[in-house]
Amino acid sequence: MGRNKKIPDRWLDYHPMKEALYDARIVPIKCPLPISRFQNEAMYQYRWTPADVMHKIPNLGLVIDITNKQPAYYDPNEFIHNGIDFVKIRCVGHNVPDDSVFFRLCDVINTFLMRNSGNDRIIALHCTHGINRTGYLICRYLIEHLRYSPQEAIHTFSLKRGYPIERENYIEDLYKIYIPVAVY
């Protein structure tokens, strides 16, 4: 039980979020943690809980948790009870995410976007820090679904998250994605 009270390694090194990628309607965030992790005065300034996420993103419609932690770091019912959908897609860190993870993510994103085409609801996507797995999967989505170039996707993610993807293997894999251009 003691480990559950711990802040994940390097979690304090990253700010919670910066801004959304509006054409994809996704905002990359770091993983929120339960309020119990911020009870002492020194930690309170770093607070980033599900309630903080909902306050910071008032048009939040869906949270996608891609950490590999089961159960999640926080109680998903905090979102669900506030009318926000929640989906858990387990994704192992350090290695390039499997195609199955990416295809599941695309299905969840595209279904959400279709169901919410008449409103401005947005998706919050997170791994632990909101940098590597989150960055890779958002960039791959931008490349394969919105036709960004790999360089454009990586640059856009860095601007919107406020941090670049740190794992070279993720970046190398993104540059390998080839999307043929239709010739008319």
Side-chain angles (χ1 to χ4, degrees):
M1 195 68 176
R3 189 169 194 287
N4 288 344
K5 298 293 181 201
K6 190 178 152 219
I7 302 291
D9 288 343
R10 298 178 38 239
W11 188 88
L12 295 172
D13 296 345
Y14 303 98
H15 58 70
M17 62 173 276
K18 188 173 176 192
E19 59 187 293
L21 292 95
Y22 289 104
D23 51 350
R25 290 175 60 181
I26 300 171
V27 60
I29 66 171
K30 76 176 178 181
C31 182
L33 298 174
I35 192 70
S36 61
R37 305 241 182 138
F38 305 100
Q39 293 304 341
N40 77 48
E41 214 172 298
M43 290 305 298
Y44 195 77
Q45 66 179 322
Y46 299 106
R47 191 185 77 220
W48 182 243
T49 66
D52 295 316
V53 174
M54 291 181 282
H55 176 76
K56 187 82 171 164
I57 311 168
N59 58 333
L60 184 62
L62 169 64
V63 174
I64 304 173
D65 175 355
I66 59 168
T67 63
N68 197 37
K69 184 142 174 61
Q70 192 68 24
Y73 281 101
Y74 53 86
D75 182 357
N77 287 316
E78 291 186 60
F79 293 113
I80 296 164
H81 291 218
N82 283 284
I84 296 163
D85 295 333
F86 175 86
V87 174
K88 173 77 172 179
I89 303 173
R90 291 184 68 182
C91 182
V92 176
H94 303 273
N95 300 316
V96 173
D98 294 349
D99 284 346
S100 63
V101 168
F102 177 68
F103 296 141
R104 171 83 173 107
L105 179 75
C106 291
D107 182 53
V108 169
I109 291 170
N110 292 335
T111 299
F112 174 84
L113 293 175
M114 280 190 302
R115 289 183 180 153
N116 290 277
S117 62
N119 62 45
D120 69 346
R121 294 186 82 189
I122 196 164
I123 300 163
L125 177 64
H126 75 80
C127 52
T128 307
H129 305 116
I131 306 294
N132 291 305
R133 286 169 285 179
T134 297
Y136 173 85
L137 290 167
I138 287 174
C139 287
R140 187 166 171 191
Y141 185 83
L142 294 174
I143 294 164
E144 293 192 23
H145 288 264
L146 298 180
R147 302 299 190 228
Y148 279 54
S149 70
Q151 181 178 352
E152 186 180 25
I154 292 165
H155 177 72
T156 299
F157 174 79
S158 294
L159 284 176
K160 299 298 184 177
R161 178 62 183 99
Y163 302 101
I165 296 172
E166 298 168 343
R167 298 207 174 280
E168 274 305 313
N169 55 329
Y170 289 27
I171 294 168
E172 288 169 12
D173 196 74
L174 289 168
Y175 276 104
K176 292 178 188 171
I177 299 170
Y178 172 72
I179 304 298
V181 177
V183 179
Y184 296 96

